[in-house]
Amino acid sequence: MATGEQYVNESGAAAAAESAPGTVGPPRKPRASRTGMVPPAALLAAIAAAVGVAAVSAAPTPSPAAVAQAAAPADGQLENPGDDVVAPVPVAPDDLAALPQAVTDATVANAPPDRDRGSAPSGQLVHPTTAVAVYASPGGTPIAALPPTEFGGDTWVPVIGKRPGWVQVMLPVRPNGASGWIYLDDPAVTLARTPFRLVVDRAAFALSLVQDGRQVARWTVGVGKPESVTPPGRTFVLAYVRPDHPTYSRLVLPLGAHSDTYLSYGGASGTTGIHAWTYTDSVLGKQSSDGCIRVPQQALDALVNLNVPVGTPVLIK
């Protein structure tokens, strides 16, 4: 997001990121990260104070189930298909509740890194209907709990690896590129697939929408400035958030990635995202933000009209 703009934060709502011209100043410099989930009421209060609105609400959220009803068990490449399924370490309800929440405002320092961040995921997605344990490896140590909702809507995370009975998924936490393993035989785990992918070419200042491997739309966008770059690598659409009283954008799509320059945007999490910038089009086609991707309103309208779902992979080059 660029210096001076507002933006979405943590689990359940939007928050301040880049302050609007003439309002707050630049985002705060990095400070110690928080682990775990901020209570929604506290978040909304911080948002209202920073954005100057009464509240924010989840936008009507395109669901992967509406795009592809059936799970896609053959999607992606299975590692070591001949291996036996490794049983998960049992996690009691109290222990699950005590684990760090895998949400945008959290840090999971011991999460395994995504080793192939330059590649586009297959499109297979996972949704937990209740909180599920996330493991460091199949049969390994529980490191986090993935909640069923974030920003007031269902949580969907992309699959980036498979082993018998397990999937490796992206996590919307710090550090960028964090991942974890989820046990597929958990009855709370639902699979679906999105045919869409978003590709951000920072050098060309372009956002492309890809459907079933074919580019169907392309827009000129603004990206992070040299001192606050848009973080590269693969991430995903975490939510659709619509401020009740919008300023710079009627719709914001927080991503599962964070600024490497700022731990806080206006007092909230340094979550980066995709949004419009209604003050001026001069921000498009240049390095103009503090890390977010600024897009024309037509791009947001197209994503909504085409039902591009939460969980859709985003590849930032």
Side-chain angles (χ1 to χ4, degrees), residues 64 68-78 122-126 156 159 162 167 184 190-195:
Q69 293 290 340
D75 211 21
Q77 184 173 358
L78 185 66
S122 65
Q124 190 170 22
L125 307 175
V126 167
W156 288 89
V159 172
K162 290 185 174 184
V167 287
L184 284 178
T190 300
L191 295 175
R193 182 182 178 277
T194 172

Side-chain angles (χ1 to χ4, degrees), residues 7-252:
Y7 182 55
V8 245
N9 181 35
E10 205 291 89
S11 157
E18 306 179 293
S19 48
T23 58
V24 215
R28 299 176 185 174
K29 292 294 183 180
R31 53 182 170 76
S33 306
R34 290 168 293 178
T35 300
M37 182 165 55
V38 175
L43 257 176
L44 286 170
I47 289 160
V51 185
V53 300
V56 294
S57 58
T61 303
S63 165
V67 177
Q69 293 290 340
D75 211 21
Q77 184 173 358
L78 185 66
E79 300 177 25
N80 307 321
D83 288 355
D84 293 334
V85 176
V86 179
V89 174
V91 182
D94 288 349
D95 293 333
L96 183 65
L99 288 170
Q101 296 289 297
V103 295
T104 190
D105 208 37
T107 297
V108 182
N110 55 344
D114 178 359
R115 301 290 186 187
D116 194 15
R117 295 196 65 205
S119 298
S122 65
Q124 190 170 22
L125 307 175
V126 167
H127 165 59
T129 56
T130 62
V132 298
V134 180
Y135 296 83
S137 62
T141 305
I143 57 172
L146 184 66
T149 61
E150 176 121 13
F151 288 97
D154 287 348
T155 298
W156 288 89
V157 292
V159 172
I160 57 173
K162 290 185 174 184
R163 291 186 185 168
W166 293 81
V167 287
Q168 183 183 14
V169 300
M170 295 189 208
L171 298 177
V173 302
R174 289 184 187 270
N176 287 334
S179 73
W181 290 86
I182 291 176
Y183 184 56
L184 284 178
D185 278 353
D186 189 322
V189 172
T190 300
L191 295 175
R193 182 182 178 277
T194 172
F196 295 104
R197 179 170 73 251
L198 293 170
V199 180
V200 179
D201 187 331
R202 296 178 299 168
F205 302 105
L207 170 67
S208 299
L209 175 62
V210 176
Q211 182 176 8
D212 293 320
R214 181 176 64 89
Q215 179 178 296
V216 296
R218 181 180 171 95
W219 302 275
T220 299
V221 302
V223 298
K225 293 174 290 190
E227 66 272 20
S228 53
V229 300
T230 300
R234 58 186 179 184
T235 182
F236 60 99
V237 175
L238 186 55
Y240 279 61
V241 175
R242 193 182 304 278
D244 285 351
H245 301 283
T247 53
Y248 63 91
S249 187
R250 298 195 301 270
L251 180 67
V252 183

Side-chain angles (χ1 to χ4, degrees), residues 1-3 18 29 202-203 205 222-232 259-262 265 283 285-292 294:
M1 308 180 192
T3 301
E18 306 179 293
K29 292 294 183 180
R202 296 178 299 168
F205 302 105
V223 298
K225 293 174 290 190
E227 66 272 20
S228 53
V229 300
T230 300
S259 169
D260 289 323
T261 303
Y262 302 108
Y265 285 125
V283 298
K286 61 181 68 172
Q287 295 171 312
S288 60
S289 83
D290 283 330
C292 281
R294 293 172 166 179

Side-chain angles (χ1 to χ4, degrees), residues 256-282:
H258 302 78
S259 169
D260 289 323
T261 303
Y262 302 108
L263 286 184
S264 172
Y265 285 125
S269 171
T271 306
T272 59
I274 298 171
H275 59 75
W277 190 246
T278 55
Y279 303 109
T280 174
D281 288 339
S282 66

